[in-house]
Amino acid sequence: MATGAPNTNLASQARRLYTEELVKGLPALVQAALDGARTLFEKPCEHAAFQRRRDMMQGLNAGAQSWHRGLVNGLRHALLHGGSTTRLGDLPSMSPGQLTLVDDDTIELEIVTSRLALAMMDRASWEFADLRSRVAHLEGRNELDAHDMLRAHVLARIVFEAWRSSGQTLASWRELQPVLHEEFALLVEEAYHETNRWLAEHGVLPEVDLRPFIRRSRTHPGALPAGYAVSDGGGAGRADAGPGSGFGQLPASGPPSAYGLGSGLMRGVGEETRMMTRAAPLARGRDHAEAVLGRLNRLVGRQVPAFGNSTRALALSPGLARAIDTAEAGIRQRMTTTAADAEPMVTTPVMLEDIQQRKQQLKKAAATPEERATIEIVALLFQSILTEERIPAAMRVWFARLQMPVLRVAVTEPDFFATVDHPARRLIDRMGACVMGFDSAAQKVGDALEREIKRIVQVVEAYPDTGRRVFQTVLTEFEKFLEHYFRNENEATRHGVSLAQQVEQRETLAIQYTIELRRMLNDMPVQEGVRQFLFHVWADVLATTAVRYGAQGQETRTMKRAAADLIWSASAKVTREERAEVIRRLPPLLKSLREGMASAGMDAERQDEQIQQLNNSLAAAFTAKTAAIPDDRLRELMERLETLEELLPDAEDVRIDESMVLDLSGHQSADLEVVLDGGSMPTPAMLAWARELQVGSWFMLEYRERHEAVQLAWQGMRRQLSLFVSAQGRCVLFQQQRLASYLQAGLLLPAQDEALTVRATRSALAKLDVDASRLLN
């Protein structure tokens, strides 16, 4: 049995076993890579891809043995001398103000090795967490060294250095990347598991439960996944990580490029690499949350075997039901009395002391070990929530009053501890996200928001026997309230939301007008220059006028008549009378066109450019040989323009994105800043994240040399536009793709790395790891 004293000999043997397990699996892995290359080569593809895959297969066949030898030598070198330290994150320190360019090859190396390390940890994070705990315990330390050979990024560097030394190319790696990621992830999982098993047999933290090992069964290597996702090795599954410290907290383990680099320039590169190589953040966050809950259930299950085994609703024991009712009444009376007497708000230490006292009373009333364990866990959760410094003091009272309703649900509905989707959890997380900014001392929660949270808590208290239904009901109501609150009641956001809605309405109408004008002019003989003016410029003028004066306003009708006059003037003119009529109509038409462009925010210089192009098109109409537009077609066109709004496509089908010809810069103003640049081409994962951000959440935005906390106050149809507002009322509007770019580049960072209840669960786990017997005491 290993003692608490350092036992470096056993730790060294564990590293040797880990190395042997990796070496033992390498021949099969190399063969799987060869098979995967051959399968890719045999697939039908374009000529360029065929050549690329042929070169990859030939190179891998020639260098497979060399790659295998390099892998074995690299692993043995790491075992004898430690992990590689020549890493991007360990570049020589530079004096202040000194700039150093990092070559492209180094950056590419970091990206490739980061992706491989993350892929391995995505599959093996649980095994690594157990092994890290055991080895750190043996060596009498809190954490493994950053370059410890047990870490995935050390192996990833060995793998890729051996790959390049054997003559293989970066292009070949990328072509074969799904196969390589899958094979190395499986190999590392096996090696971690076998090392864990050996340590447990030697008495090293045997209470760390090893899940039943399922041997990997190789499928045909040609069955390549359509896509693969990697997650943060230190995030998803890192249930034993320490408490967070606000936005931007990063795991302590993982590839160097993921967690901050030497200079400011390299920090930017590292953040970009980290975001581009991680899985969709929502999926990653969900994986992390489920991993935390999974570890909680394992830990509690060792003390209380029946905990979490039931999948159906349970009944409260009569004694505990009465004790919960009594405790709830006491909490309600104390909080209400304090508020009514205008005394100082109940302080956090007092609330924590109350939790401790009530916990003991409830445990005495509990009838089963499962009830006592649940009481302990819920108490630990609320202790963590009430000590969260970013929750304003006035709000902690209302969170405290949810303890008994949550306890009642946790006892009767076992899935409260099994799923992140339980409405009680989601309600607490949503309320927490809205009140947890970056600085609780400076942040003030609006009266309307505080009243709504108070109302929600009172509704939950009023329906104690409805379980999850009441939580789901008030959660839906809270989401609706937030939409109304930021639009109508919050002074800092109301004006900005109104402007953002006008932007969306104008852009949507402009796209709708463009679509319909294209249909109307599809078979009409109109000069191309005039067509482009109508599609690119006049559609926006019509939209601006319609938003400002209404679709049937006199000004809007005037702009529609100007469009009809322009179409007629630009059609072929074959008689002297028609040409004379064009010349007579031209001055008032040009005046209307200039007024329309000015109303849409176009400056005089751009107006002159457009008018000059139109003059050229109108002059061409005088010599055109095409057929003139018949009078009946012109009358039909005018009638369709008059009723244009009835013909417009459904707004729900309109997509505001950068593929349209519209320019959002026309909406830039002192009251509303529209983000037009910055970031980089976002990945699909980042676009998915941008679509799923929730109104009310806080972020740190870096824009125009300013770093400030902002709150997501509004999202448009299909979340194509998003408005962020600072506490001082600064309004910043993003189009969806630009928002994803900022998320990817790390220019917009969420205030919370994890949900409030997940963080509270991690805090509870830390306490239970120290003393699990408290569950039943």
Side-chain angles (χ1 to χ4, degrees):
M1 177 67 69
T3 66
N7 191 335
T8 55
N9 183 51
L10 208 55
S12 297
Q13 292 181 52
R15 289 187 176 88
R16 182 176 297 279
L17 175 62
Y18 168 72
T19 304
E20 291 173 354
E21 289 295 325
L22 291 176
V23 171
K24 187 167 61 176
L26 286 177
L29 183 146
V30 173
Q31 184 60 48
L34 288 167
D35 293 343
R38 187 176 301 107
T39 302
L40 275 177
F41 175 69
E42 294 171 354
K43 285 186 175 181
C45 61
E46 297 178 354
H47 181 67
F50 171 81
Q51 288 182 318
R52 191 169 61 247
R53 292 173 179 177
R54 180 194 61 194
D55 293 343
M56 173 188 67
M57 187 181 69
Q58 291 175 347
L60 195 55
N61 278 327
Q65 290 185 355
S66 175
W67 182 40
H68 179 252
R69 285 195 302 271
L71 286 169
V72 174
N73 292 337
L75 287 168
R76 288 175 175 165
H77 182 273
L79 177 64
L80 294 175
H81 305 288
S84 173
T85 58
T86 56
R87 308 179 341 162
L88 184 58
D90 299 321
L91 293 174
S93 59
M94 296 178 288
S95 60
Q98 180 182 357
L99 293 177
T100 299
L101 292 177
V102 179
D103 60 273
D104 292 342
D105 186 63
T106 302
I107 294 175
E108 289 290 350
L109 173 62
E110 283 303 316
I111 292 175
V112 169
T113 55
S114 294
R115 286 175 173 164
L116 177 58
L118 292 168
M120 291 189 288
M121 291 308 299
D122 184 48
R123 185 176 189 98
S125 58
W126 277 111
E127 294 287 356
F128 175 71
D130 290 347
L131 182 57
R132 179 175 57 187
S133 298
R134 289 189 167 105
V135 174
H137 171 77
L138 285 172
E139 297 178 335
R141 61 172 75 191
N142 294 325
E143 184 56 277
L144 299 180
D145 288 339
H147 309 311
D148 196 295
M149 70 166 301
L150 295 176
R151 292 194 179 277
H153 68 262
V154 174
L155 174 59
R157 179 164 293 276
I158 292 171
V159 168
F160 193 65
E161 286 178 348
W163 177 270
R164 293 198 304 181
S165 297
S166 67
Q168 309 310 308
T169 65
L170 178 61
S172 295
W173 177 278
R174 287 176 173 160
E175 191 79 34
L176 202 57
Q177 187 168 265
V179 175
L180 295 170
H181 279 193
E182 177 69 13
E183 291 299 324
F184 276 107
L186 290 166
L187 178 61
V188 167
E189 184 184 36
E190 285 182 359
Y192 282 155
H193 179 85
E194 288 303 314
T195 310
N196 271 317
R197 184 184 58 76
W198 183 82
L199 286 171
E201 288 176 353
H202 284 74
V204 182
L205 298 183
E207 68 274 13
V208 177
D209 181 37
L210 287 172
R211 292 160 306 289
F213 181 55
I214 302 175
R215 293 189 177 277
R216 64 172 178 170
S217 57
R218 292 186 179 275
T219 56
H220 190 277
L224 301 178
Y228 60 93
V230 296
S231 70
D232 180 31
R238 281 190 75 246
D240 55 343
S245 58
F247 84 95
Q249 183 202 6
L250 297 171
S253 65
S257 64
Y259 310 124
L261 304 167
S263 66
L265 168 66
M266 290 314 302
R267 275 197 300 275
V269 174
E271 182 67 18
E272 181 80 358
T273 301
R274 178 176 70 87
M275 298 306 295
M276 292 179 69
T277 57
R278 292 168 78 175
L282 286 172
R284 188 177 64 252
R286 184 182 181 89
D287 288 345
H288 168 60
E290 290 177 347
V292 172
L293 291 179
R295 185 159 183 253
L296 175 71
N297 280 280
R298 288 196 304 151
L299 188 151
V300 178
R302 289 196 292 270
Q303 297 290 322
V304 186
F307 182 85
N309 285 345
S310 177
T311 58
R312 56 185 178 81
L314 306 174
L316 274 173
S317 63
L320 181 57
R322 288 192 298 270
I324 291 177
D325 291 341
T326 301
E328 191 169 32
I331 295 171
R332 191 159 56 240
Q333 181 180 15
R334 179 162 188 170
M335 305 295 182
T336 305
T337 302
T338 301
D341 295 344
E343 295 177 0
M345 188 67 67
V346 177
T347 62
T348 298
V350 171
M351 287 189 284
L352 293 176
E353 185 179 349
D354 286 350
I355 287 178
Q356 197 65 23
Q357 293 175 354
R358 287 195 298 272
K359 179 182 72 174
Q360 297 306 324
Q361 295 169 356
L362 291 168
K363 280 190 171 182
K364 291 178 181 178
T368 65
E370 296 79 26
E371 288 185 341
R372 285 192 288 275
T374 303
I375 293 166
E376 179 69 35
I377 297 169
V378 172
L380 291 175
L381 293 181
F382 277 86
Q383 284 177 9
S384 174
I385 291 171
L386 296 181
T387 53
E388 173 54 68
E389 294 181 353
R390 289 178 296 162
I391 297 178
M395 290 291 95
R396 295 181 200 178
V397 172
W398 300 108
F399 281 92
R401 286 178 59 164
L402 284 176
Q403 182 187 355
M404 290 303 112
V406 167
L407 175 59
R408 187 180 284 108
V409 164
V411 172
T412 58
E413 300 182 14
D415 64 334
F416 176 81
F417 292 114
T419 174
V420 296
D421 291 328
H422 194 285
R425 285 183 172 276
R426 291 170 56 205
L427 176 66
I428 294 172
D429 290 339
R430 286 297 283 130
M431 293 195 307
C434 291
V435 302
M436 288 170 62
F438 286 82
D439 183 357
S440 61
Q443 180 196 353
K444 295 181 180 178
V445 175
D447 292 340
L449 179 56
E450 185 172 352
R451 284 196 304 271
E452 177 63 11
I453 290 176
K454 175 182 176 181
R455 184 194 71 83
I456 284 174
V457 173
Q458 290 174 335
V459 170
V460 171
E461 290 175 332
Y463 295 92
D465 299 323
T466 54
R468 70 169 59 225
R469 292 201 306 273
V470 67
F471 283 99
Q472 183 61 61
T473 299
V474 295
L475 174 62
T476 303
E477 292 174 353
F478 187 59
E479 298 286 1
K480 292 178 180 177
F481 161 80
L482 288 176
E483 181 180 348
H484 172 82
Y485 169 70
F486 289 116
R487 186 177 64 242
N488 300 312
E489 298 191 47
N490 187 297
E491 290 297 328
T493 62
R494 184 169 57 186
H495 183 56
V497 170
S498 176
L499 291 175
Q501 288 176 321
Q502 291 177 38
V503 170
E504 179 179 57
Q505 185 181 4
R506 173 178 160 183
E507 292 301 310
T508 303
L509 273 175
I511 296 171
Q512 290 174 304
Y513 282 135
T514 301
I515 293 170
E516 191 54 35
L517 284 171
R518 288 183 187 276
R519 290 175 182 167
M520 292 168 61
L521 301 181
N522 187 44
D523 57 352
M524 281 195 176
V526 179
Q527 286 289 331
E528 185 61 26
V530 173
R531 286 178 182 273
Q532 295 308 312
F533 175 82
L534 290 170
F535 300 156
H536 294 186
V537 177
W538 208 246
D540 192 35
V541 171
L542 289 174
T544 303
T545 312
V547 170
R548 190 171 297 163
Y549 302 106
Q552 299 304 320
Q554 181 60 42
E555 293 82 357
T556 307
R557 289 202 294 270
T558 299
M559 296 299 111
K560 291 176 180 178
R561 280 197 296 271
D565 288 344
L566 179 60
I567 292 170
W568 177 82
S569 300
S571 63
K573 298 296 177 284
V574 295
T575 67
R576 180 177 299 177
E577 292 77 11
E578 287 178 332
R579 293 169 184 167
E581 182 64 16
V582 170
I583 294 172
R584 185 185 70 79
R585 292 189 187 183
L586 193 56
L589 173 60
L590 292 178
K591 180 175 181 293
S592 295
L593 295 177
R594 283 190 177 274
E595 289 175 349
M597 288 187 287
S599 71
M602 185 177 291
D603 58 46
E605 184 177 352
R606 289 186 62 196
Q607 290 181 37
D608 291 340
E609 292 177 3
Q610 295 296 335
I611 293 297
Q612 181 60 47
Q613 293 172 11
L614 285 177
N615 280 329
N616 295 338
S617 297
L618 293 175
F622 276 64
T623 58
K625 302 300 182 182
T626 57
I629 301 177
D631 290 341
D632 59 337
R633 292 292 304 277
L634 282 172
R635 283 194 298 272
E636 179 186 351
L637 175 65
M638 192 59 216
E639 290 173 359
R640 292 182 67 183
L641 283 170
E642 288 287 347
T643 59
L644 190 57
E645 286 71 29
E646 299 175 8
L647 305 172
L648 296 181
D650 191 344
E652 291 294 331
D653 298 328
V654 173
R655 189 167 194 83
I656 302 172
D657 58 35
E658 293 177 357
S659 67
M660 297 301 295
V661 294
L662 307 174
D663 185 2
L664 285 175
S665 63
H667 304 291
Q668 201 79 254
S669 69
D671 296 322
L672 183 68
E673 299 180 46
V674 182
V675 180
L676 302 172
D677 51 29
S680 59
M681 181 60 67
T683 63
M686 293 300 114
L687 285 168
W689 189 14
R691 285 191 292 269
E692 297 301 327
L693 298 182
Q694 292 184 309
V695 168
S697 301
W698 284 87
F699 298 82
M700 180 62 76
L701 171 65
E702 179 180 344
Y703 179 58
R704 292 184 177 173
E705 300 182 353
R706 294 171 67 176
H707 300 255
E708 60 186 336
V710 293
Q711 191 172 26
L712 179 56
W714 172 85
Q715 290 176 310
M717 292 183 302
R718 296 169 62 182
R719 310 194 176 204
Q720 297 173 45
L721 295 175
S722 299
L723 178 72
F724 294 81
V725 182
S726 71
Q728 293 73 38
R730 182 190 184 202
C731 300
V732 183
L733 184 68
F734 284 86
Q735 179 267 335
Q736 187 181 98
Q737 182 137 342
R738 185 64 57 190
L739 176 59
S741 297
Y742 267 59
L743 290 167
Q744 178 168 289
L747 299 174
L748 186 71
L749 291 172
Q752 296 174 265
D753 281 339
E754 56 190 354
L756 182 58
T757 58
V758 176
R759 184 171 179 177
T761 304
R762 279 203 301 108
S763 176
L765 274 168
K767 293 181 174 64
L768 293 174
D769 275 333
V770 174
D771 180 16
S773 64
R774 63 193 299 167
L775 289 165
L776 300 177
N777 292 340

